[in-house]
Amino acid sequence: MAIGIFDSGVGGLSIAQQVRTLLPHEDLIYLADSGHAPYGEKSGQYILQRCTTIIQCLIDKGATLVVIACNTATVSAISALREMFPIPIVGVEPGVKTAVKNCKSGVVGILATTQTLKSAPFQQLAQRFSSKIKVLAQACPGLVEQVEALHLTDHKTQALVAQYVQPLLNKGADHLVLGCTHYAFLAPVIKKVAGPNVSIINTAIPVALEVARRLDIEGLASASTAAGGECFFSSGEQDLAHRQFNALWGKAVKVETF
Ligand code: DGL
């Protein structure tokens, strides 16, 4: 039994880290579809096909619960995937509710991929809060590629972040929602641009809590008291995959080809 976690690339490691912290005894299998990233500019049909292949692969490797650690894949495909596969599938969506609850200025900014922002589930989510608060959606093309390339703080990344964040600040946003799991790795740069009075909302902890809850409900939680195992797979170029996982997971790990 293992928890399978995947993303279009290495952004979902930000979710996997919280799952690991909360559930130290569970076995984890992480799959980065870096060879097909970014998903954010692709069609819903393409994303559904990739997710179907990946979830089947995770099940074949022993996953009994799957986390779609990708906002874009969640909004594009989770309903169809839940109908296709007989195991619990946990998704991730931008933390708009938390931002709206704590917002004082009346304006929240959402940073996400083009595909996430134009999807019906996101439109409905934003619509739900639009009578109380102004929800400003900002697509951020290029940021996923910067994280995949491990350019977390370079000049281009800083310039892109400023280009996307500054207009939201100018319109009064006091909360910025990270609506893409890759952006968690850019939080220091985003914070630097946004300044101390703006809160950054990341959904990794709520997702990890939901995973724990589902494992419990479904009777899938590990009974072991030993440290859980970890396996990593990537469809991307292997040298880069090793550097990505070593940098973002925080220790040297073996990455196998998917
Ligand atoms: N980490 C993915 C997300 O949360 C990035 C999608 C992409 O590859 O564009 O949306």
Side-chain angles (χ1 to χ4, degrees), residues 37-57:
Y39 283 178
E41 313 294 319
K42 307 254 168 41
S43 72
Q45 190 53 36
Y46 179 88
I47 295 168
L48 178 60
Q49 269 170 17
R50 292 304 306 156
C51 292
T52 306
T53 305
I54 291 167
I55 292 179
Q56 191 54 58
C57 171

Side-chain angles (χ1 to χ4, degrees), residues 7-8 11-12 37-41 69-73 113 116 144 179-182:
D7 177 36
S8 63
Y39 283 178
E41 313 294 319
C70 176
N71 294 260
T72 310
T113 67
T116 295
V144 167
C180 167
T181 53
H182 279 76

Side-chain angles (χ1 to χ4, degrees), residues 8 12 16 33 36 56 59 66-67 75 81 104 107 115 128 132 135 150-151 166 174 201 203 207 215 235 245 255:
S8 63
D33 198 16
H36 300 88
Q56 191 54 58
I59 292 173
V66 165
V67 184
V75 296
L81 293 165
K104 303 262 183 314
V107 184
Q115 181 71 24
R128 233 196 296 156
K132 296 188 204 143
V135 178
L150 289 178
H151 297 157
Q166 199 56 54
D174 67 356
I201 307 290
T203 44
V207 173
L215 286 180
S235 62
F245 281 78
V255 185

Side-chain angles (χ1 to χ4, degrees), residues 2-249:
I3 301 172
I5 306 176
F6 77 96
D7 177 36
S8 63
V10 286
L13 287 172
S14 60
I15 303 279
Q17 282 165 343
Q18 293 302 333
V19 172
R20 169 46 77 226
T21 303
L22 189 68
L23 301 165
H25 308 303
E26 300 295 337
D27 289 340
L28 304 185
I29 308 168
Y30 185 93
L31 198 153
D33 198 16
S34 298
H36 300 88
Y39 283 178
E41 313 294 319
K42 307 254 168 41
S43 72
Q45 190 53 36
Y46 179 88
I47 295 168
L48 178 60
Q49 269 170 17
R50 292 304 306 156
C51 292
T52 306
T53 305
I54 291 167
I55 292 179
Q56 191 54 58
C57 171
L58 289 169
I59 292 173
D60 294 344
K61 292 181 189 307
T64 50
L65 177 147
V66 165
V67 184
I68 306 179
C70 176
N71 294 260
T72 310
T74 300
V75 296
S76 307
I78 197 166
S79 309
L81 293 165
R82 282 181 171 147
E83 278 176 24
M84 258 182 246
F85 293 100
I87 61 166
I89 299 179
V90 174
V92 39
E93 65 175 26
V96 182
K97 192 171 166 190
T98 309
V100 167
K101 199 172 97 199
N102 298 308
C103 179
K104 303 262 183 314
S105 69
V107 184
V108 306
I110 320 289
L111 304 169
T113 67
T114 306
Q115 181 71 24
T116 295
L117 297 179
K118 73 174 192 207
S119 71
F122 175 78
Q123 298 285 335
Q124 283 154 15
L125 183 68
Q127 189 64 35
R128 233 196 296 156
F129 300 104
S130 62
S131 60
K132 296 188 204 143
I133 231 111
K134 203 180 227 180
V135 178
L136 301 176
Q138 174 67 56
C140 306
L143 288 187
V144 167
E145 290 91 329
Q146 291 300 99
V147 175
E148 288 290 308
L150 289 178
H151 297 157
L152 304 181
T153 55
D154 77 359
H155 184 71
K156 183 172 174 194
T157 301
Q158 293 190 35
L160 282 173
V161 167
Q163 179 191 327
Y164 297 140
V165 168
Q166 199 56 54
L168 302 174
L169 303 176
N170 294 347
K171 288 182 185 135
D174 67 356
H175 282 71
L176 294 177
V177 176
L178 305 185
C180 167
T181 53
H182 279 76
Y183 305 167
F185 292 110
L186 301 177
V189 175
I190 295 170
K191 270 198 179 106
K192 201 168 139 202
V193 173
N197 300 325
V198 174
S199 303
I200 313 287
I201 307 290
N202 179 353
T203 44
I205 292 175
V207 173
L209 289 167
E210 176 62 9
V211 172
R213 194 184 74 84
R214 291 300 299 273
L215 286 180
D216 245 17
I217 290 177
E218 312 279 348
L220 296 171
S222 167
S224 165
T225 52
E230 290 156 8
C231 299
F232 300 94
F233 297 87
S234 173
S235 62
E237 197 269 310
Q238 280 301 293
D239 271 0
L240 176 60
H242 277 98
R243 286 194 290 116
Q244 287 169 324
F245 281 78
N246 292 347
L248 302 179
W249 190 247

